[in-house]
Amino acid sequence: MTEAPARGPYAKSAARRSEIIASATAVFGTHGYRGGSLRQIAKQLDLSLTTVMHHFPTKVSLLAAVLSQEDAADTDFSQRAARDGFIPTVLAIVERNLGRRELVRMFTVVQAEATHADHEAHAWLRARYADVIPEYAAAIEYDRSLGRLTTTTDAVMLADLAIGMWEGIQVRWLADGTDPVAAMRVALDALLLPTPVSAAGR
Amino acid sequence: MTEAPARGPYAKSAARRSEIIASATAVFGTHGYRGGSLRQIAKQLDLSLTTVMHHFPTKVSLLAAVLSQEDAADTDFSQRAARDGFIPTVLAIVERNLGRRELVRMFTVVQAEATHADHEAHAWLRARYADVIPEYAAAIEYDRSLGRLTTTTDAVMLADLAIGMWEGIQVRWLADGTDPVAAMRVALDALLLPTPVSAAGR
C-alpha cells in the first residue's frame, strides 16, 4: 500500500518542524545547548521567534526533539546484531555516521555539557547509557554463545568500553578527520576477538 | 635551599590569576567556552569585570591559560613511561584525574566545541593530538622493544586508540561515576597485551 503524501497545512507544519530541528542541531553543535538560543535558530532560518516558539514553546522541548533524532536511528540494533554480529553492526553505524557529521557533533557537545547533574539533558544521558549498555551486553553475550566472539571479559564491561571508545574515536574524527571506521575495527577486534575465532575452540 | 615566599603585590596578583583561572575552568566546563563569559567569571568571584580584564584582557587569553593547566600536568610523561611502562603511567594519570573532575569536564566540553574548525581552541586541539600521539606511540614502541607489551599493531594506531578510549571513558565517569581506572585497565590490557607477557617469548 502506498501512503498518500501528507498535504496542506499539516505537511507544511511537519516540514517546518524538521527545518527547525536541523537548524537547532547545527546551533547546539556549535554553541552547545546552553550557549545556543531559540533566537539564533530563528535567525538562521529567517523566521520570527514567534514562529519557532509556535512549534517549540521552550528551548528544552526543542532539545528533546533534537536528541530523539539520535535515538530513532538505531531502534533495530538488537535484530541487526543477532543477524550480522555485534562488530559488523557497530561498524555499519560508525560508517553511516560519516554522513551525519553535524548530528554527531551536536551529540558530542551536548553529551559533554550534560555530564553535569543540573543540565537539562542529564537524565536523558543517564537513561541512554542505561538503555544501550544492557542491549549491547546482550548482543555480545549472544555472539559469544555462537562462538562469534572469543573474549571472556564481563559483557557489561565490554559494552561500556565499546561505547566509551566509540565516543572518543568520533571526537577525534570530528577534530581532524582521522578515519573512525578503521580505528573502531582495530579497537573492537582487540577487545572482543583476543584470539582468532578459528583457534578459539581448540 | 628554601625559596623565599613571594610577597606583596606580585604574590597577590598571582593568587588572583589562579583564582580567575579556577573560576573560568568551572564556567567553561558548565557553559562551554562559547557559552561562558568574563562577566559570569567576575560575578562568581565577586570581582568587577575591570579587575578580571586587568589579568585577562580577552576571553581567548583566559582560555589559553585554562587549557595550559592541562598540558602542564603531564610534561614528564615520556620519562615516567620509560621507567614504569606505558600502561601503569596512563593508569596513574587516570587515577589522578579522579581528583580533578571540573578540570576534566572543562577539557571535555571545550574539546567537543573545539572540533569545529572555526573554534578559538581548534588549533590548540589539533596541536595537542599532534604532540601527544607521537609521544605515546614512542612509549608503546619502547615498551615493545623491552617485551613489556605483546601487541603487534601499528604504534600510532595504538596511541590514537588509547587516547580515544580514554576520553570516552572519562565522559562516562563524568556522567554517572563509572570507575574509569578499572575500565581503562581492561581496555589497555586488551589493546596492548593481547597475549600475556609470560607467554609472549615462547
Side-chain angles (χ1 to χ4, degrees):
Chain A
M1 200 179 92
T2 312
E3 278 183 53
R7 271 190 300 205
Y10 175 76
K12 206 174 149 193
S13 175
R16 174 81 5 120
R17 264 182 76 89
S18 305
E19 203 178 53
I20 295 169
I21 291 171
S23 167
T25 301
V27 168
F28 295 164
T30 304
H31 301 278
Y33 170 69
R34 293 202 160 164
S37 70
L38 293 183
R39 204 172 290 278
Q40 275 170 298
I41 293 160
K43 200 177 159 196
Q44 197 175 73
L45 293 170
D46 210 8
L47 293 175
S48 71
L49 183 59
T50 314
T51 304
V52 171
M53 292 184 73
H54 169 71
H55 295 274
F56 297 99
T58 58
K59 196 166 78 157
V60 77
S61 66
L62 182 51
L63 177 65
V66 166
L67 294 176
S68 70
Q69 298 175 91
E70 229 281 326
D71 297 340
D74 299 316
T75 45
D76 60 343
F77 182 88
S78 294
Q79 294 91 303
R80 285 158 60 206
R83 189 187 62 209
D84 303 332
F86 179 79
I87 294 178
T89 304
V90 170
L91 291 178
I93 304 175
V94 180
E95 195 154 356
R96 187 202 53 196
N97 281 352
L98 295 175
R100 325 192 292 170
R101 197 176 176 97
E102 292 317 307
L103 184 62
V104 174
R105 196 192 312 272
M106 177 283 298
F107 176 71
T108 303
V109 171
V110 171
Q111 180 181 39
E113 281 185 319
T115 61
H116 254 295
D118 62 357
H119 190 278
E120 292 77 356
H122 186 69
W124 166 83
L125 180 61
R126 307 243 341 209
R128 188 174 163 275
Y129 284 126
D131 281 354
V132 172
I133 287 165
E135 187 176 18
Y136 280 26
I140 290 168
E141 287 286 19
Y142 180 70
D143 271 13
R144 187 144 60 187
S145 75
L146 298 183
R148 292 198 288 212
L149 295 178
T150 52
T151 170
T152 57
T153 305
D154 173 66
V156 170
M157 171 62 92
L158 291 168
D160 283 0
L161 292 177
I163 291 165
M165 60 180 48
W166 188 345
E167 291 171 352
I169 285 168
Q170 284 191 156
V171 171
R172 179 74 189 286
W173 164 61
L174 292 171
D176 68 8
T178 300
D179 179 3
V181 183
M184 275 300 280
R185 180 172 291 125
V186 175
L188 290 173
D189 281 358
L191 199 63
L192 301 171
L193 286 169
T195 48
V197 170
S198 61
R202 286 180 204 164
Chain B
M1 199 179 93
T2 312
E3 278 183 55
R7 271 187 301 203
Y10 176 75
K12 206 173 148 193
S13 176
R16 176 82 2 121
R17 264 182 76 90
S18 304
E19 205 180 52
I20 295 170
I21 291 171
S23 167
T25 301
V27 168
F28 295 163
T30 304
H31 301 278
Y33 171 70
R34 293 204 160 164
S37 70
L38 292 182
R39 204 172 290 278
Q40 274 170 299
I41 292 159
K43 200 177 159 195
Q44 198 176 72
L45 292 171
D46 210 10
L47 293 176
S48 72
L49 183 59
T50 313
T51 304
V52 171
M53 292 183 73
H54 168 70
H55 294 275
F56 297 99
T58 58
K59 196 167 76 156
V60 77
S61 65
L62 183 50
L63 176 66
V66 165
L67 294 175
S68 71
Q69 299 175 91
E70 230 280 328
D71 297 338
D74 300 317
T75 45
D76 60 343
F77 182 88
S78 295
Q79 293 91 306
R80 286 158 61 206
R83 189 187 61 210
D84 304 333
F86 179 78
I87 294 178
T89 304
V90 170
L91 291 178
I93 304 175
V94 180
E95 196 155 355
R96 187 201 54 197
N97 281 353
L98 296 174
R100 325 192 291 171
R101 198 177 175 96
E102 292 317 309
L103 184 63
V104 175
R105 196 191 314 272
M106 176 284 297
F107 177 70
T108 304
V109 170
V110 171
Q111 180 181 39
E113 281 184 319
T115 61
H116 254 296
D118 62 357
H119 190 280
E120 292 77 356
H122 185 70
W124 166 83
L125 179 60
R126 306 242 342 208
R128 189 175 164 275
Y129 285 125
D131 281 354
V132 172
I133 288 165
E135 186 175 19
Y136 280 27
I140 291 168
E141 287 285 19
Y142 181 69
D143 271 14
R144 188 145 57 187
S145 75
L146 298 183
R148 292 199 290 214
L149 296 177
T150 53
T151 171
T152 56
T153 304
D154 173 65
V156 171
M157 171 62 92
L158 292 168
D160 283 0
L161 291 176
I163 290 165
M165 58 179 50
W166 188 346
E167 290 170 353
I169 285 168
Q170 284 192 156
V171 171
R172 179 73 189 286
W173 164 61
L174 292 171
D176 68 8
T178 300
D179 180 1
V181 183
M184 274 300 280
R185 181 172 289 123
V186 175
L188 289 173
D189 281 358
L191 199 63
L192 300 172
L193 286 168
T195 47
V197 170
S198 61
R202 285 180 205 164

